[in-house]
Amino acid sequence: MEKIQHNYVDVRGLKLHIAEIGTGPAVLFLHGFPEIWYSWRHQMIAVADAGFRAIAPDFRGYGLSELPAEPEKATFRDLVDDLLDMLDSLGIHQVFLVGKDFGARVAYHFALVHSDRVSAVVTLGVPFLLTGPETFPRDLLPNGFYMLRWQEAGRAEKDFGRFDTKTVVKNIYIMFSGSELPVAKDDEEIMDLVDPSAPLPDWFTEQDLANYASLYEKSSFRTALQVPYRAWLEEYGVKDIKVKVPCLLVMGEKDYSLKFGGLEQYVKSGMVKEYVPNLETIFLPEGSHFVQEQFPEQVNQLIITFLKKLI
């Protein structure tokens, strides 16, 4: 960890934080929620040791990156445009993208609009998904589903505000480590789904929790609730919905997201290949939504093997 360097890059009027280690072909890691650059700590070191330049930014408004003036107006396209400007600032023309959770959507969006800059895409926990209102299966989801709750302006803020930042992060990690969709009853909020005495996952330490909490105490959850949750229905803005570069998807068999609107069938039946034809999919039998932190050595080997085939 001490070998990882931390710097700031001026990107579209904001100072964005990047963690970096190694030299060689660039591999850019894009975090999800409630994650941050720190969620890639295991992968960055392994990839650097394998001969790559590993870079993990905090998205705008996340962690050590600057908060935009109006976080509630942030969009996925902002993150894509930030990424392009960041690569240009770092002098990187060609990049391997590795995205987790909603970071997967940013990676695929970037590959659609800037295909000439992307060598390959690896995603964890989330496959390629279509976007726009007609593709969000709202009618197939229970009213208390966490994504629907967090899309409501002010609701998550009120819910989270009952606890300190560390407890909020802890609760989300515990919830998202399960195999069931987080769904609250009408008289419950999402934070109520976690028993206060519930332990952290055995692969997630108290020090990890403290590190995450300190980063969210700095950034707050303002941008995080906007992107991904309240910007979720935003479209890619391109006509040719086909990711042409080689792609790898790694998912845990016990990832709760597989129960999201027929996602498991979409992946396992091969329907996803209609949009990502050059896709390899690997499932880890005991894996949760946080496979890269839960099984770092396995995930590291899968990523490195995939990348090395392409250089």
Side-chain angles (χ1 to χ4, degrees), residues 30-168:
L30 304 173
H31 65 78
F33 178 79
E35 295 147 311
I36 218 84
W37 81 265
Y38 181 79
S39 65
W40 298 113
R41 59 199 179 279
H42 306 297
Q43 286 68 48
M44 292 183 70
I45 293 171
V47 162
D49 288 344
F52 294 88
R53 179 184 180 186
I55 304 167
D58 288 334
F59 285 126
R60 58 168 52 209
Y62 277 82
L64 298 174
S65 286
E66 191 175 356
L67 196 72
E70 296 180 286
E72 293 77 15
K73 293 184 179 180
T75 66
F76 277 96
R77 188 56 190 248
D78 279 326
L79 305 189
V80 171
D81 291 344
D82 287 350
L83 179 52
L84 179 63
D85 200 23
M86 182 183 299
L87 292 175
D88 288 343
S89 296
L90 295 172
I92 298 170
H93 179 72
Q94 203 75 17
V95 68
F96 293 102
L97 294 178
V98 182
K100 163 69 177 29
D101 188 67
F102 84 86
R105 175 165 164 173
V106 179
Y108 278 130
H109 192 161
F110 191 89
L112 286 172
V113 297
H114 301 294
S115 59
D116 60 318
R117 304 293 295 270
V118 181
S119 298
V121 174
V122 179
T123 67
L124 310 176
V126 172
F128 176 87
L129 296 171
L130 292 175
T131 61
E134 70 279 3
T135 63
F136 187 74
R138 186 179 291 268
D139 56 329
L140 300 179
L141 296 168
N143 289 330
F145 182 48
Y146 81 96
M147 285 186 69
L148 298 181
R149 290 286 183 89
W150 290 353
Q151 285 173 0
E152 297 179 34
R155 186 157 191 170
E157 289 86 343
K158 186 176 179 180
D159 184 17
F160 291 7
R162 297 179 293 152
F163 307 94
D164 60 28
T165 301
K166 187 175 182 179
T167 301
V168 173

Side-chain angles (χ1 to χ4, degrees), residues 14-287:
L14 295 173
K15 286 190 177 298
L16 300 190
H17 165 256
I18 61 168
E20 183 173 0
I21 184 172
T23 58
V27 183
L28 199 114
F29 294 90
L30 304 173
H31 65 78
F33 178 79
E35 295 147 311
I36 218 84
W37 81 265
Y38 181 79
S39 65
W40 298 113
R41 59 199 179 279
H42 306 297
Q43 286 68 48
M44 292 183 70
I45 293 171
V47 162
D49 288 344
F52 294 88
R53 179 184 180 186
I55 304 167
D58 288 334
F59 285 126
R60 58 168 52 209
Y62 277 82
L64 298 174
S65 286
E66 191 175 356
L67 196 72
E70 296 180 286
E72 293 77 15
K73 293 184 179 180
T75 66
F76 277 96
R77 188 56 190 248
D78 279 326
L79 305 189
V80 171
D81 291 344
D82 287 350
L83 179 52
L84 179 63
D85 200 23
M86 182 183 299
L87 292 175
D88 288 343
S89 296
L90 295 172
I92 298 170
H93 179 72
Q94 203 75 17
V95 68
F96 293 102
L97 294 178
V98 182
K100 163 69 177 29
D101 188 67
F102 84 86
R105 175 165 164 173
V106 179
Y108 278 130
H109 192 161
F110 191 89
L112 286 172
V113 297
H114 301 294
S115 59
D116 60 318
R117 304 293 295 270
V118 181
S119 298
V121 174
V122 179
T123 67
L124 310 176
V126 172
F128 176 87
L129 296 171
L130 292 175
T131 61
E134 70 279 3
T135 63
F136 187 74
R138 186 179 291 268
D139 56 329
L140 300 179
L141 296 168
N143 289 330
F145 182 48
Y146 81 96
M147 285 186 69
L148 298 181
R149 290 286 183 89
W150 290 353
Q151 285 173 0
E152 297 179 34
R155 186 157 191 170
E157 289 86 343
K158 186 176 179 180
D159 184 17
F160 291 7
R162 297 179 293 152
F163 307 94
D164 60 28
T165 301
K166 187 175 182 179
T167 301
V168 173
V169 174
K170 176 183 178 181
N171 286 352
I172 295 172
Y173 251 89
I174 290 171
M175 273 193 302
F176 287 5
S177 296
S179 59
E180 299 298 325
L181 290 177
V183 178
K185 299 176 183 176
D186 290 344
D187 59 349
E188 287 181 320
E189 294 300 331
I190 299 302
M191 289 292 105
D192 297 328
L193 296 177
V194 179
D195 187 324
S197 64
L200 286 167
D202 58 11
W203 42 265
F204 194 77
T205 69
E206 286 289 343
Q207 185 58 55
D208 292 333
L209 176 59
N211 289 339
Y212 275 103
S214 68
L215 291 168
Y216 276 102
E217 283 168 0
K218 192 269 180 190
S219 67
S220 79
F221 296 103
R222 289 179 67 189
T223 309
L225 288 169
Q226 173 62 21
V227 183
Y229 299 104
R230 293 165 191 170
W232 190 259
L233 301 184
E234 176 190 344
E235 297 183 355
Y236 290 127
V238 296
K239 292 182 179 179
D240 184 13
I241 307 293
K242 191 86 71 176
V243 179
K244 299 180 174 67
V245 299
C247 298
L248 171 67
L249 169 64
V250 180
M251 293 195 73
E253 287 277 11
K254 296 184 178 179
D255 189 330
Y256 76 90
S257 70
L258 287 172
K259 296 182 179 177
F260 176 85
L263 191 67
E264 184 169 14
Q265 181 184 5
Y266 169 71
V267 174
K268 291 187 174 180
S269 69
M271 291 170 59
V272 63
K273 289 193 174 185
E274 180 179 343
Y275 310 103
V276 190
N278 193 0
L279 175 68
E280 177 183 0
T281 301
I282 297 173
F283 282 91
L284 300 184
E286 297 300 315

Side-chain angles (χ1 to χ4, degrees), residues 288-302:
S288 70
H289 192 58
F290 300 104
V291 286
Q292 89 278 20
E293 295 184 274
Q294 184 183 11
F295 297 116
E297 292 184 4
Q298 287 178 257
V299 171
N300 294 349
Q301 191 58 52
L302 291 172

